[in-house]
Amino acid sequence: MPARTLFLLGQDDALYDVNKAAARIRANAPACKVSLLAQAGHTLTVDKPREVSDLLVAFFARTSAPVAL
């Protein structure tokens, strides 16, 4: 079973082409969740702290399961 993974990308990121990055992630890791945040750059937690927080809480709520040690 692949690890549960969430990728958060800012649509206004100036460091790389976000659409190409998202497409590459989806092609190579289809089990991963990719979310693009509008009006956010490379510093997502600074640009959109509430949206990032909401996405993380929702992701972990859906994927939380007991972990065997």
Side-chain angles (χ1 to χ4, degrees):
M1 170 190 257
R4 296 175 292 245
T5 306
L6 171 64
F7 286 91
L8 299 177
L9 306 172
Q11 286 185 330
D12 298 334
D13 198 318
L15 297 179
Y16 55 87
D17 184 317
V18 176
N19 293 318
K20 284 183 181 178
R24 189 171 184 182
I25 293 166
R26 289 179 177 127
N28 291 294
C32 295
K33 168 100 171 113
V34 180
S35 292
L36 302 177
L37 278 77
Q39 299 176 341
H42 196 72
T43 55
L44 296 172
T45 56
V46 173
D47 298 339
K48 294 288 188 167
R50 180 61 176 208
E51 289 84 347
V52 169
S53 177
D54 290 346
L55 286 167
L56 289 173
V57 168
F59 177 76
F60 289 120
R62 284 190 309 272
T63 60
S64 64
V67 176
L69 299 176

